[in-house]
Amino acid sequence: MKRIVAWLAARLRRRAPAPGRFSLSRKASLHGFLAVAAAPPWREYLLYLPRRMDAIRRPALVVWIHGCRQDPEAFAAGTRIARFADERGFVVLLPRQSRLANSERCWNWFDRRTAGGAGEAAIVAAQVLEVMEKYGIGPRRVYLAGLSSGGGLAATLALRMPGLFAAAAFHSAVPCGAASDAHDAGRVMAEGPKNAVTDALAAEARAAAGAKARMPVMVIHGSADGTVAPVNAVYLVRQFLLFNGMAAHELPHGAALPPAQMRAVHPRASDYLMSEYYAGRRLAARLATVPGLGHAWSGGDPAYEYCDDQHLDATALVCDFFAAH
């Protein structure tokens, strides 16, 4: 009898969540082991189905990755992503970092296995594929965003697995492969990476993905960020300009970008500086610099750590960007 009860309980836990509610699952990957920690190769994730899910014919999926000292519940609440999912009709997947993998709940973007596409990148990719299969979501309707260390993991996923996502957004983040260990990560956060390393990684990812690969990205960074130096946003944009097909000789040397097109695309345009960068005739990267913003999600709910309500709504900005791709 106990075995029957346990079996029924397990079956009930596997049922799809009711629309308008969060559910908890976990997923493993054979490639999910880390070089920097003896953590199991699986992570939990929250899944949110929007209200009126049954009426949505072709749902999209937004992967929403929290930063250090956060969990998916707080990140969802602080960014108000469920409200946007209800209004716009997309599913939200929120991976959860384990304290076994990182005591501060930071994603290990500096782990060499993760930076190469295994490790935590492989685990989150397995979560994405599981949700896509379960809800019939096509590969060109999956989008990716992250804050801080979650943004660094998102950048890794976007470069290493571009066929899985249609567009990506990184808030207060670092480039893929910018550091090789935890000590080096501190230097990168304070000073930025060595561009020869991150530029070369972008070229390598481009060669692996093929000449037709494309990954439009939005990079958002506060000018007053004292945790992740704003120069990291420059290197992120450089990385995706190269990945999207810009030739290396078209980029200036050092921590610099080519001339940009300036554009206002938000009602509170005075709250930020928006620059657009193209590889050929296609948009490769959009950079939003928010004057006065520290290390926090812009326009978030200040009741939650690492959210700042004094600036533009980054969730709206990111969702609008995804809708355009």
Side-chain angles (χ1 to χ4, degrees), residues 22 45-46 64 66 70-77 94-97:
F22 289 93
Y45 66 89
L46 283 184
W64 207 245
H66 69 78
Q70 290 182 314
D71 56 35
E73 291 88 351
F75 190 48
L94 299 108
R96 183 194 305 278
Q97 179 59 306

Side-chain angles (χ1 to χ4, degrees), residues 3-258:
R3 290 183 179 179
I4 294 173
V5 171
W7 181 83
L8 287 171
R11 294 291 293 176
L12 287 171
R13 282 197 298 271
R14 293 193 189 105
R15 286 182 179 175
R21 295 185 181 181
F22 289 93
S23 67
L24 182 64
S25 299
R26 75 177 185 181
K27 183 65 177 176
S29 169
L30 291 174
H31 305 289
F33 292 99
L34 301 175
V36 298
W42 57 264
R43 299 290 184 276
E44 292 182 342
Y45 66 89
L46 283 184
L47 190 70
Y48 182 79
L49 297 186
R51 300 180 190 276
R52 301 182 297 278
M53 176 71 179
D54 293 342
I56 302 171
R57 293 183 59 189
R58 296 177 64 233
L61 173 63
V62 172
V63 184
W64 207 245
I65 310 178
H66 69 78
C68 294
R69 301 178 185 176
Q70 290 182 314
D71 56 35
E73 291 88 351
F75 190 48
T79 59
R80 306 182 181 94
I81 189 61
R83 190 193 80 194
F84 283 85
D86 288 340
E87 292 173 355
R88 305 190 185 206
F90 55 78
V91 176
V92 188
L93 188 164
L94 299 108
R96 183 194 305 278
Q97 179 59 306
S98 166
R99 287 190 183 276
L100 294 174
N102 189 291
S103 61
E104 297 292 327
R105 298 196 301 273
C106 300
W107 296 95
N108 295 294
W109 53 271
F110 49 84
D111 173 70
R112 59 177 176 78
R113 285 182 52 78
T114 296
E120 289 170 350
I123 294 171
V124 173
Q127 294 175 352
V128 172
L129 290 169
E130 180 172 79
V131 174
M132 288 174 66
E133 181 179 7
K134 188 170 186 177
Y135 295 98
I137 298 170
R140 299 309 299 170
R141 294 184 63 77
V142 182
Y143 305 89
L144 172 67
L147 169 66
S148 189
S149 67
L153 178 58
T156 299
L157 283 159
L159 272 186
R160 294 302 188 186
M161 304 168 196
L164 201 54
F165 307 100
F170 321 119
H171 196 315
S172 310
V174 296
C176 173
S180 56
D181 55 43
H183 176 76
D184 195 30
R187 179 194 60 77
V188 168
M189 291 166 64
E191 304 172 5
K194 298 175 181 178
N195 68 319
V197 174
T198 52
D199 286 2
L201 191 149
E204 171 194 314
R206 171 79 176 176
K212 293 184 178 180
R214 181 171 175 258
M215 179 57 61
V217 301
M218 168 167 278
V219 179
I220 304 172
H221 216 108
S223 68
D225 192 333
T227 301
V228 177
V231 70
N232 282 283
V234 174
Y235 285 108
L236 260 173
V237 172
R238 288 178 64 99
Q239 205 165 55
F240 282 89
L241 283 173
L242 289 166
F243 180 80
N244 281 295
M246 179 174 282
H249 70 265
E250 297 181 78
L251 282 174
H253 294 291
L257 293 168

